[in-house]
Amino acid sequence: MLRLGRREFDAHEPVIMAIVNRTPDSFYDQGATFLDEPALARVEQAVAEGAAIIDVGGVKAGPGEEVSAAEEARRTVGFVAEVRRRFPDVVISVDTWRASVGEAVCEAGADLLNDAWGGVDPGLAEVAARFGVGLVCTHAGGAEPRTRPHRVAYDDVMADILRVTVGLAERAVALGVPRESVMIDPGHDFGKNTRHSLEATRRLGEMVGTGWPVLVSLSNKDFVGETLDKPVKERVVGTLATTAVSAWLGAQVYRVHEVAETRQVLDMVASIAGHRPPAVARRGLA
């Protein structure tokens, strides 16, 4: 059982986390949800299309203009409070590596802290414990926030992913984060080249085998683009293919831009796996 905010999800229930970037320079939508009203409209659409979690980010992952903790909080805290007011049952996640921002958004109503940079600020897990919210424990290969990998190497990339993410998850629980609210994430592209991310996907079952719920953030990432030699706006098909493989291997939570398309992929895989009945089953019965 995965428990986040007011919601509980069964082990075989796939969960969609919709991305809402409160940044003017996001790599995929170039700031389309930087302003409040477009961002709130995006939340409404994502919920209608089947997202259970809204992931709010105030700093783009890649290099760019420096964003202070105060500015990150300015972009996210008030928005979290408004989403909480308008959508009381949705799970609100905030993508941040800073403990100070984590504390501010938890006070505003966040249910989950998405630590995409692998515990670079140890205080973030302490904040999650203090507020009793969930935590995503990610493998970033020891990279500093907002840096790109350069000739990174692993003897065994999945062994390193397991060592780091399980270690972070166990530390979080020891600090007091509810065990049923902790997830692990292989961190596609973060501290990895394309071959590393492909291997992490291929061996995702090893993460699932740890017993921790697995979150994957695949949406339109560079490893998809390089694998297919496609620019950012032409990576949806590759993303959905990777989503299907990840679902078959047992990942549970999917951080995405395209909610409706992802919902169909996850429902189809769940039905093939026998975890979900067909929505309609008339063929051959008339």
Side-chain angles (χ1 to χ4, degrees), residues 66-283:
E66 182 179 354
V67 180
S68 67
E71 174 60 16
E72 182 184 0
R74 189 193 69 79
R75 294 176 179 183
T76 56
V77 174
F79 184 73
V80 166
E82 184 61 17
V83 173
R84 179 83 294 147
R85 186 183 72 81
R86 295 194 189 192
F87 304 91
D89 294 325
V90 77
V91 178
I92 301 176
S93 169
V94 176
D95 181 352
T96 185
W97 73 87
R98 291 166 164 149
S100 62
V101 175
E103 183 161 7
V105 296
C106 285
E107 288 175 347
D111 305 298
L112 176 64
L113 297 175
N114 182 10
D115 183 7
W117 289 102
V120 68
D121 183 346
L124 190 63
E126 297 169 10
V127 170
R130 190 159 67 253
F131 283 89
V133 303
L135 184 69
V136 179
C137 300
T138 307
H139 180 272
E144 288 295 314
R146 308 193 67 193
T147 60
R148 299 195 188 281
H150 179 68
R151 298 188 178 181
V152 63
Y154 300 94
D155 291 334
D156 182 329
V157 66
M158 182 50 74
D160 204 71
I161 289 169
L162 292 173
R163 176 184 63 81
V164 171
T165 58
V166 171
L168 289 170
E170 290 175 346
R171 174 180 181 266
V173 172
L175 287 169
V177 180
R179 186 179 182 88
E180 64 273 17
S181 303
V182 176
M183 291 173 277
I184 58 175
D185 177 356
H188 288 80
D189 275 0
F190 281 54
K192 298 171 189 68
N193 62 31
T194 289
R195 287 183 174 87
H196 293 143
S197 292
L198 291 171
E199 183 172 352
T201 306
R202 187 163 58 246
R203 298 173 61 185
L204 206 59
E206 295 176 45
M207 294 190 75
V208 174
T210 66
W212 298 99
V214 175
L215 179 150
V216 287
S217 183
L218 312 167
S219 196
N220 304 295
K221 283 195 166 178
D222 285 348
F223 84 96
V224 175
E226 288 196 353
T227 299
L228 301 177
D229 194 17
K230 295 293 183 182
V232 170
K233 293 295 184 180
E234 296 178 24
R235 299 176 183 175
V236 175
V237 173
T239 296
L240 295 176
T242 313
T243 298
V245 170
S246 300
W248 187 257
L249 292 174
Q252 185 169 12
V253 182
Y254 300 80
R255 182 177 181 271
V256 305
H257 296 96
E258 285 81 20
V259 175
E261 294 87 343
T262 303
R263 182 79 270 163
Q264 289 189 45
V265 169
L266 295 177
D267 285 350
M268 193 69 200
V269 172
S271 295
I272 294 169
H275 303 313
R276 172 189 178 272
V280 178
R282 292 189 294 260
R283 182 173 174 81

